[in-house]
Amino acid sequence: MIETITLKDDYTFLVSDLSGEVQPGLQGHGLYYEDTRYLSGLELTINGLAAQVLNSSADYNIAATFHLSSPHLPSADMQDSTVAASQTAVAHAVGIVRRRLVQGGLHEQLEFTNFHSEPVTLEIGIKVTADFADIFEVRGFPGSREGETVQLKVEDDGQRLVFSSVPGKPELPVRTLNFSCDRWPDRCEQSHYKSLLNNSSLPQVVLYMSLNLPTNQPKTLRMQIIPEAASAMAVAAQPAEENFASQVARMRQVYRQWSQDCSQVSSNDYLFNQVLQISTLDLRSLMQRDGKNLIVTAGLPWYFTLFGRDSLVTAIQTLSLNPQIAIDTLRALAAYQGKKTDDWRDEEPGKILHELRRGDMTLGGEMPHGPYYGSVDSTLLFIQCFAETLRWVDDQALFAELWPAVENALNWATTYGDADGDGYIEFSRRSARGILHQGWKDSDESMGGSMGPHPVPPIALIEVQGYYYAALRELAGTLRHFGDTAQQERARQLEEQAARLKTRFNQDFWWPEAGFFAQALDGQKNQVRNITSNPGHCLWSGIVDQAKAAPLVERLMQPDMLSGWGIRTMSTLDPTYNPMSYHNGSIWPHDNSLIVAGMRRYGFDREALALAGQLFDAAATFPHSRLPELYCGFGRVDKGIEERVPAAYPVSCSPQAWAAGTAPLLLQTLLGLEADAADHSLKINPLLPPNLHEITLRGLRLGQTRLDLTLKRQPQTGKFEVIGTLPSPVKLVNPSTQV
């Protein structure tokens, strides 16, 4: 896997390698704005050669610093042609510090310092390319560019460049990329190159600048690369006139304020603190504005947009961290709720979107994502998130504001979601360019086993029935607290419906020969029999009968499922298992976090603690202790040789939303936190590994109150004492010891 650094600000993000190079066609490198790659290449050369990389670091995912070195340079005595160059070349003569900030575009400064005893003259080359590719094209979806041209205008002999994409369709916007630098180039070379995406001919330019460097006298080159969209959408604003350091400092303060708005966690364990800290910062880095809402997008670089399922799962995972994430997510998704039946978008009244895109393939009608609704579970998770959020915030006004959308979502479930009236939520793709499998395992490969690669639709996924059950149960409780007389009766009906669903579910999905649950029911109500992680979500939702929970947990903890780094998405014994696949044997942190929560729910504390430990062990092996979207499912111990790090998945998003939500949910689960803001109570029942003997929570939100608590393990008993002064009328329920 080729490592990348991703920086972002609102709708703009940049992907580069560890030297800061943006290389055309590699790992999705580029500067993106609103689902379009504007800048496709930015390459630096020193005397025609690449600089040598020393190190790099990212700062809050908004800024980065790259330390580079010049390649071997000729010394003065190389003017004598009789002297061999290998004997006189000067190594590491010039240090290069590449600093960049993404804010409405790319702002970069290159500082060159000559550390050699003699003056040095360098020829700096900067190659700039722009392809205006839709992000779907970058991800491998073919798009039509008939009639489209990319034009290059060179101004001031190369000090300013303007790339423009002139579309072949009148409904598409002209897109423009502006490049400027503060040094006048010595020469400017224009040419064309073949796009690796569609073989089209695109313009490129190389700027050459001669730089005379006396000893220890730094010189700086500054560049700005700003995308603009000539459309009705808001254009990314350039930053105010201020120096580079001030811009970075101002953005750092945004992140510090975000951390202060969240629950702040500290413990005696460095790794635990690091994983929680990077998760909190990553969640902020994944946010973008949607009207008045600050929403969490799904992941960088491929899913940097509003999703239904991903954003809602993340919101639920992070309720104890910051319930405002859920509030803004619910409001944003309610605004895009389905209003009509539209087969192209897989849209239906009351349905919650799957994905929202703004690129040319969507605007031009090649993709249905403006927005697209092909997600069978987003609508159910919307209801569940609504109910669980109100347990943390107890906000009557929020209930009233969102109830119409929730009622529409509930109506979708009983009509369109359960079209055949059998009580189960099912899906069947209608859009020609829609998603084939519309659960969280949404790759084409993710269903099959004994039923073949594509079971006959409509398909009832097992975890989706669990989400439906949780939505009905949680919403009933919400209506009992907030609802009027009619809604109280509705609550009773929802509880009865949930009970019926649970009874039928445990009959129809149970796979007696395996002592496990099937992955799904197909269109003929036949079981799709694979050993997968999906039933673990049903522990989280509570739909599993108590008697079936033990064999389910036991099977999930067998070596063919439990890798040593977490539970695989599919058993190694399945014929379709592949540890390097997206969904048929890989390991997803968020998947495991829900399973850990489910294990605790049913009282399987030992298994929950062991599985959580594997996830933290995995986090320790990744850069910055950041859990990625997924990683490969190879075993931790293979034939007696320990694999000391999990194998990375090549195109995994990092940071990614529900991977960032994993650590907060694990913390909430291991502390046994359950909120009842209406009752001013917080249940706490800690279950922590031996290495954690003290944890402090500051600013934990319950209703309109902020709580500060410290849990400290008593060495004599091993039990935890909860230390803290609770503001009236807040009370703790079932603490291990008294406050």
Side-chain angles (χ1 to χ4, degrees):
M1 178 180 179
I2 300 174
E3 288 192 50
T4 60
I5 285 184
T6 303
L7 306 176
K8 62 81 61 177
D9 170 57
D10 208 13
Y11 286 88
T12 308
F13 69 91
L14 173 76
V15 183
S16 73
D17 68 14
L18 297 186
S19 68
E21 296 288 87
V22 177
Q23 301 184 42
L26 183 64
Q27 288 286 112
H29 284 191
L31 179 69
Y32 297 78
Y33 172 63
E34 289 192 333
D35 300 321
T36 300
R37 180 169 67 182
Y38 281 70
L39 178 76
S40 56
L42 181 66
E43 300 171 85
L44 170 70
T45 58
I46 311 296
N47 291 355
L49 301 174
Q52 298 179 10
V53 184
L54 303 178
N55 68 13
S56 58
S57 61
D59 190 351
Y60 294 100
N61 294 108
I62 55 169
T65 302
F66 307 86
H67 286 274
L68 313 173
S69 168
S70 62
H72 283 70
L73 301 176
S75 63
D77 59 9
M78 282 190 67
Q79 297 173 1
D80 183 352
S81 61
T82 63
V83 181
S86 61
Q87 295 176 334
T88 60
V90 179
H92 308 299
V94 177
I96 306 162
V97 182
R98 187 177 206 165
R99 297 183 177 91
R100 63 173 39 151
L101 166 73
V102 170
Q103 188 181 10
L106 171 59
H107 308 266
E108 180 161 315
Q109 61 181 29
L110 292 159
E111 183 181 270
F112 301 86
T113 305
N114 175 21
F115 293 101
H116 187 46
S117 57
E118 300 292 333
V120 170
T121 299
L122 303 180
E123 184 180 63
I124 308 300
I126 299 173
K127 182 189 290 186
V128 187
T129 57
D131 67 358
F132 301 98
D134 190 287
I135 197 166
F136 281 114
E137 288 184 279
V138 181
R139 289 170 54 194
F141 294 84
S144 172
R145 290 198 165 199
E146 185 177 354
E148 180 179 320
T149 60
V150 177
Q151 300 174 352
L152 169 62
K153 183 179 181 181
V154 179
E155 300 177 347
D156 297 334
D157 294 328
Q159 195 173 14
R160 284 188 289 274
L161 309 173
V162 180
F163 292 87
S164 298
S165 171
V166 181
K169 298 178 180 180
E171 66 268 25
L172 297 180
V174 174
R175 299 186 185 273
T176 303
L177 180 70
N178 295 309
F179 170 96
S180 62
C181 60
D182 65 349
R183 285 183 177 270
W184 206 284
D186 296 299
R187 71 182 194 277
C188 172
E189 296 183 357
Q190 300 182 52
S191 60
H192 283 76
Y193 73 102
K194 290 291 185 181
S195 168
L196 296 176
L197 296 180
N198 53 27
N199 206 37
S200 61
S201 179
L202 298 173
Q204 65 180 9
V205 63
V206 184
L207 308 177
Y208 292 98
M209 306 171 192
S210 181
L211 206 61
N212 300 312
L213 296 175
T215 301
N216 287 319
Q217 295 184 30
K219 290 190 177 181
T220 302
L221 168 66
R222 295 177 178 85
M223 297 180 289
Q224 284 193 336
I225 306 175
I226 308 295
E228 297 178 354
S231 69
M233 293 186 179
V235 176
Q238 296 187 28
E241 290 297 326
E242 54 185 334
N243 64 46
F244 190 89
S246 297
Q247 292 178 38
V248 174
R250 180 163 50 82
M251 293 303 295
R252 282 176 182 163
Q253 183 55 39
V254 170
Y255 277 69
R256 292 193 187 101
Q257 184 60 54
W258 162 256
S259 295
Q260 293 171 11
D261 292 340
C262 295
S263 301
Q264 298 155 59
V265 183
S266 61
S267 77
N268 63 285
D269 186 86
Y270 173 80
L271 172 63
F272 186 84
N273 296 342
Q274 179 73 6
V275 174
L276 264 296
Q277 182 183 37
I278 195 68
S279 295
T280 302
L281 294 175
D282 280 350
L283 287 165
R284 180 61 184 86
S285 74
L286 289 167
M287 288 181 170
Q288 65 179 213
R289 289 284 172 189
D290 188 277
K292 295 181 179 180
N293 302 305
L294 191 61
I295 58 171
V296 175
T297 61
L300 286 166
W302 309 119
Y303 304 117
F304 184 55
T305 189
L306 176 64
F307 273 70
R309 177 192 306 116
D310 299 59
S311 299
L312 286 163
V313 168
T314 305
I316 295 171
Q317 287 175 313
T318 56
L319 281 169
S320 63
L321 179 75
N322 191 336
Q324 193 63 42
I325 297 173
I327 293 170
D328 282 8
T329 298
L330 290 165
R331 284 172 168 160
L333 290 172
Y336 293 103
Q337 191 170 31
K339 295 178 175 60
K340 63 183 184 297
T341 300
D342 183 344
D343 288 352
W344 171 240
R345 298 182 188 274
D346 278 329
E347 180 183 1
E348 290 153 341
K351 199 174 186 183
I352 297 299
L353 65 79
H354 169 66
E355 182 179 358
L356 174 64
R357 293 292 185 177
R358 297 181 172 92
D360 284 355
M361 289 180 67
T362 298
L363 297 177
E366 294 182 66
M367 299 296 286
H369 289 67
Y372 174 62
Y373 291 84
S375 169
V376 69
D377 47 15
S378 295
T379 312
L380 310 174
L381 290 166
F382 180 84
I383 300 170
Q384 182 181 352
C385 183
F386 167 78
E388 292 199 21
T389 300
L390 287 171
R391 285 202 285 111
W392 280 90
V393 301
D394 187 33
D395 189 331
Q396 180 73 47
L398 184 66
F399 170 84
E401 174 190 347
L402 292 173
W403 170 247
V406 172
E407 188 170 33
N408 289 337
L410 194 60
N411 291 337
W412 171 86
T414 57
T415 53
Y416 300 96
D418 181 19
D420 61 3
D422 68 348
Y424 296 134
I425 302 296
E426 298 147 335
F427 72 87
S428 179
R429 179 181 65 178
R430 308 192 311 281
S431 174
R433 296 210 73 170
I435 297 172
L436 179 63
H437 297 312
Q438 298 185 356
W440 85 262
K441 293 179 180 176
D442 56 3
S443 58
D444 287 356
E445 68 184 17
S446 66
M447 297 284 290
S450 62
M451 299 300 298
H454 300 301
V456 177
I459 297 169
L461 288 166
I462 184 171
E463 74 274 14
V464 171
Q465 315 317 313
Y467 303 159
Y468 192 22
Y469 174 80
L472 295 171
R473 290 283 303 175
E474 293 282 352
L475 185 58
T478 303
L479 292 179
R480 291 200 182 280
H481 176 64
F482 290 102
D484 56 25
T485 302
Q487 290 169 331
Q488 297 293 324
E489 173 59 21
R490 187 79 176 273
R492 184 189 63 78
Q493 295 170 357
L494 294 177
E495 288 172 338
E496 292 178 352
Q497 183 182 353
R500 292 193 300 271
L501 173 60
K502 183 173 183 177
T503 298
R504 289 197 58 212
F505 168 88
N506 282 276
Q507 296 170 352
D508 295 345
F509 282 83
W510 183 245
W511 180 5
E513 295 87 348
F516 201 68
F517 286 94
Q519 185 180 4
L521 302 180
D522 72 3
Q524 278 76 50
K525 312 303 178 184
N526 297 315
Q527 291 186 350
V528 180
R529 291 185 164 183
N530 303 91
I531 302 295
T532 66
S533 62
N534 300 53
H537 291 216
C538 296
L539 295 169
W540 174 57
S541 64
I543 196 173
V544 176
D545 280 344
Q546 188 68 43
K548 291 182 171 65
L552 171 56
V553 171
E554 182 181 359
R555 187 67 187 84
L556 289 170
M557 299 297 285
Q558 294 302 305
D560 62 312
M561 289 296 290
L562 189 66
S563 70
W565 303 113
I567 289 174
R568 299 178 177 93
T569 46
M570 177 174 282
S571 165
T572 61
L573 305 177
D574 194 288
T576 56
Y577 166 75
N578 180 351
M580 298 172 288
S581 70
Y582 199 51
H583 289 128
N584 286 8
S586 55
I587 300 163
W588 290 64
H590 94 279
D591 184 29
N592 280 259
S593 74
L594 300 182
I595 296 172
V596 171
M599 287 175 172
R600 274 227 81 183
R601 178 179 191 137
Y602 280 82
F604 295 94
D605 287 359
R606 178 178 61 83
E607 291 83 357
L609 198 58
L611 182 53
Q614 291 192 10
L615 294 175
F616 279 106
D617 287 349
T621 70
F622 289 103
H624 312 294
S625 303
R626 172 186 288 128
L627 284 167
E629 177 187 16
L630 73 157
Y631 42 93
C632 294
F634 296 106
R636 188 169 183 173
V637 178
D638 184 21
K639 298 180 181 178
I641 301 175
E642 183 173 0
E643 299 286 345
R644 296 191 179 274
V645 296
Y649 187 79
V651 291
S652 174
C653 287
S654 185
Q656 195 258 2
W658 57 21
T662 291
L665 181 58
L666 289 177
L667 175 66
Q668 179 180 325
T669 299
L670 295 180
L671 292 180
L673 297 180
E674 295 180 24
D676 187 351
D679 188 46
H680 308 290
S681 66
L682 178 70
K683 180 179 179 180
I684 183 166
N685 184 23
L687 170 73
L688 297 171
N691 60 297
L692 278 174
H693 54 77
E694 185 170 332
I695 294 181
T696 297
L697 301 175
R698 294 186 177 88
L700 178 67
R701 180 175 170 183
L702 182 69
Q704 299 303 311
T705 304
R706 296 276 185 167
L707 309 179
D708 295 341
L709 297 171
T710 295
L711 287 81
K712 191 169 185 179
R713 194 192 303 268
Q714 297 303 303
Q716 298 84 358
T717 64
K719 294 183 178 181
F720 280 88
E721 179 182 5
V722 183
I723 304 169
T725 302
L726 297 180
S728 179
V730 175
K731 57 183 178 292
L732 291 185
V733 178
N734 194 32
S736 297
T737 60
Q738 64 181 9
V739 177

